[in-house]
Amino acid sequence: MCGIAGYLNFDPERPIDRGVLERMTRTLVHRGPDEEGYFVDGPVGLGMRRLRVIDLDGGRQPLANEDRTVWVVFNGEIYNFDELRRQLEHRHTFRTRSDTEVIVHLYEEYGPSCTRALRGMFAFALWDARRRRLLLARDHLGEKPLYYARTRDALWFGSELKALLAAPAVGRTVDFGALDDYLALGYVPAPGTIFREIQKLPPGSYLQVQGGPVLVRRYWRLDWTPRGPDDEATATAAVHERLEDSVRRRLVADVPLGAFLSGGIDSTTVTWLMRRASAGPVKTFSIGFDEPAFDELPYARAVARALDTDHYEQVVKPDALALLPELVEHFDEPFGDASAIPTYLLSRLARQHVTVALSGDGGDEAFAGYERYRKAYLVDRLRPFLLGAPGASLGAWLTRLVPVGRRPLRRVGAALARAALPALERYTAMVGLCTPDVRAALFSGSPGAWRVGATPASLATAWNDAVGLDPIRRLQAVDTETYLPDDILVKVDRASMAVSLEARAPLLDYRLLEYVAGLPTSLKMRAGDSKWILRRILAGNVPPAVLTRPKQGFAVPLARWLRDGWRDTAREMLLDGPLGQHFSRRAVEKMFAEHVRGDADRSEPLWLLLVFAGWHARYVGAR
């Protein structure tokens, strides 16, 4: 695991500034605390920071082919490197046991399309000296990040946005469209970033520069078309076999491994399979809260006891707001998913004992685990009987007639009213954190007010691309294209790499997902129960309570924390900080007062604003 950075001057006669290259690379020391390395060839410079995981002594980077005409810096792991190596050995000489070396020889055989054969998580930069070609590539699902910026004279790239900000030529103009997306979703969707001058390379894509324009091409996209077997026994056996293979591949390391364990279906599946494939007990790590509605520790403990793991846990306290500067420092962009707090603490706990941790990320998208899928299932069946026309539905009627103080009934009414919306608006309302009305009020009088829209463009594009799929399959496709790479995987990558921990996600193996995506929806959700096929695989192997518990998620008690322990600090940050440069102080003050009085739960938009205030102070105001 590494952090990579570098740049290419468009003028082939213009040499690399070694000092700039080193400054860019050293911003990533947390991603690779063990080694650093550089390659400079005329107009191109590659830098890397390495966390040693495989071939500790021999896997140094940058790494070249036999005649030193192809060079690569690489962040990630290639889980099928042994098979690829055997295929390539008859034509190439390998000098290390590193998975990195497979990339250069595979590129020599297949060029940019080599990415299709790589089974793993990766972001790499490759320089082909013969063709004077720079190739940047990112893995199929987007587990590993890669940012780039094109200026007048050069193309800049890095594993994190901060690496590009270390280059004086790269600007940092706040993009108000991206800011609106952030308020709507809690993250800035690819290919944009919070800065106009910098972009993300999308998942399953590569970028190529070869004496001409910068070309970005998509090499892979998950196909959700139904095509799998309807036979439940056959599909269950096939998924089980693929899961075992995926976990086994992710146990290859020359350093200690462990697993994140929440006690949910996904992490339990990974831990159970890891335990079966391991010679001894597995180290497991869990995070909990002092508020029972948010605490999953009892389930995690039950699984740990049943699987006889070496278990460690920690309870998150309300003073977690003190972590905000650290989170801002490592996420680089405003990132409003509050579960970044426990994810960071979980990673920090795990890093005290292991260098690699397996996680259950990707299971909700692949196996229809989110609550919104269950709601879509119910709406699809109840809509003709309960909803009627928008504005005349049972939900709208309840919302108008039930007194304001009767919040539970009003929530039911609001949910039914939302169910009467067109499908895309309903999905946007389910995943959104800040409604268009709230965003418009916040932006009132600011330069960004005109960008407020009902549905972010990223969601609309993914939704239209998934036309023709059944309702649940369509939600899975949109989440896999947007929420998974831009929220979930960003959160896990930044939180784990902040403490130099490598996180691996067996449920995101693209070969596994290609099979699961084609299975009938009935094998993922049945009678409103999600992850049906995973429950079948786990039945009899883990405590029954784990299989019957409702979906909980990695939520944080924000509402209480903002009313109690965080109130004074939050008020100071929101009302006396830099937010007035971008948002209406009156709107922020009103929102905060409503939340503190208990009139409404404004914790999600308030947290978004707190994160933005901290981010602005670090990345804009500090210049």
Side-chain angles (χ1 to χ4, degrees), residues 504-521:
R504 300 178 178 179
L507 302 185
L508 287 175
D509 187 288
Y510 86 90
R511 298 291 296 277
L512 167 67
L513 290 184
E514 286 178 336
Y515 182 80
V516 171
L519 292 177
T521 298

Side-chain angles (χ1 to χ4, degrees), residues 304-573:
R305 283 195 299 269
L307 300 182
D308 191 27
T309 72
D310 185 7
H311 189 61
Y312 304 85
E313 60 186 42
Q314 178 182 342
V315 174
V316 181
K317 302 295 185 180
D319 59 4
L321 184 59
L323 293 173
L324 184 57
E326 292 180 54
L327 295 177
V328 164
E329 180 67 30
H330 287 290
F331 279 82
D332 292 344
E333 295 187 86
F335 185 78
D337 186 340
S339 64
I341 296 173
T343 304
Y344 174 72
L345 293 173
L346 177 63
S347 298
R348 194 166 71 180
L349 172 66
R351 190 62 179 93
Q352 296 170 18
H353 305 275
V354 299
T355 308
V356 175
L358 273 61
S359 78
D361 294 301
D364 285 315
E365 291 80 6
F367 296 98
Y370 289 125
E371 178 67 13
R372 53 183 169 269
Y373 301 155
R374 190 179 68 83
K375 290 178 180 177
Y377 175 90
L378 294 173
V379 166
D380 192 48
R381 283 151 182 77
L382 297 177
R383 190 182 183 98
F385 305 101
L386 295 177
L387 303 179
S393 66
L394 175 59
W397 180 79
L398 278 173
T399 302
R400 287 193 298 268
L401 294 185
V402 175
V404 173
R406 304 294 295 276
R407 290 201 192 100
L409 283 178
R410 285 183 62 82
R411 280 199 295 268
V412 171
L416 288 171
R418 195 162 53 241
L421 296 171
L424 177 55
E425 291 184 37
R426 187 167 67 248
Y427 173 77
T428 303
M430 285 190 290
V431 301
L433 302 182
C434 239
T435 65
D437 288 347
V438 170
R439 281 154 34 221
L442 287 172
F443 274 135
S444 60
S446 80
W450 63 277
R451 295 299 299 271
V452 173
T455 299
S458 60
L459 297 190
T461 298
W463 185 266
N464 293 333
D465 287 344
V467 68
L469 300 176
D470 69 63
I472 293 176
R473 194 179 293 269
R474 192 175 199 180
L475 296 185
Q476 290 178 275
V478 175
D479 281 339
T480 302
E481 193 72 15
T482 58
Y483 180 65
L484 176 66
D486 290 332
D487 185 305
I488 299 299
L489 298 183
V490 170
K491 174 183 67 179
V492 174
D493 174 81
R494 303 307 189 279
S496 60
M497 294 311 304
V499 296
S500 305
L501 176 77
E502 178 176 300
R504 300 178 178 179
L507 302 185
L508 287 175
D509 187 288
Y510 86 90
R511 298 291 296 277
L512 167 67
L513 290 184
E514 286 178 336
Y515 182 80
V516 171
L519 292 177
T521 298
S522 62
L523 294 182
K524 302 165 193 173
M525 177 167 287
R526 187 170 299 181
D529 290 332
S530 65
K531 302 181 183 177
W532 179 263
I533 201 165
L534 288 185
R535 294 175 196 272
R536 282 209 57 184
I537 292 171
L538 287 175
N541 296 299
V542 300
V546 173
L547 303 179
T548 57
R549 61 173 292 207
K551 170 71 176 173
Q552 188 163 343
F554 212 16
V556 175
L558 275 181
R560 177 171 65 86
W561 288 356
L562 281 166
R563 288 194 184 100
D564 300 331
W566 292 3
R567 184 174 58 189
D568 294 340
T569 303
R571 176 186 284 112
E572 181 179 350
M573 291 180 65

Side-chain angles (χ1 to χ4, degrees), residues 13-45:
E13 302 301 320
R14 184 177 183 184
I16 290 295
D17 184 329
R18 177 76 178 229
V20 170
L21 178 63
E22 291 182 359
R23 284 197 299 276
M24 293 175 66
T25 304
R26 287 171 183 167
T27 64
L28 305 172
V29 65
H30 53 285
R31 300 186 76 92
D34 298 329
E35 295 174 0
E36 71 176 2
Y38 299 95
F39 167 75
V40 174
D41 178 21
V44 69

